[in-house]
Amino acid sequence: MNISGGNLSTMPGAGQGAEVLTAALSKKQQQADGAAALALIEGATQSSSAQTPAKSVTATLGNNVNVYV
């Protein structure tokens, strides 16, 4: 009984099927990455426009100082 793998025939289209599957999975991953990036960009632009501007400092700030001797 010979158990070596040298006598086994290989399927000629098996390599192409694996390449197609790999390409399809890669495409789905790239689409998911792109959607996540767009969601991140949209979230960043919405939060920056919703922020209120900082309050301006008045000219009288610090003019009244209580000093006890």
Side-chain angles (χ1 to χ4, degrees), residues 9-60:
S9 62
T10 59
M11 296 175 55
Q16 291 177 351
E19 289 176 4
V20 171
L21 179 62
T22 302
L25 291 175
S26 176
K27 182 179 178 181
K28 287 181 183 179
Q29 182 64 41
Q30 288 176 352
Q31 288 175 340
D33 290 345
L38 288 175
L40 182 64
I41 291 170
E42 287 176 2
T45 56
Q46 289 176 356
S47 66
S48 65
S49 63
Q51 292 177 350
T52 58
K55 295 181 180 179
S56 63
V57 178
T58 61
T60 59

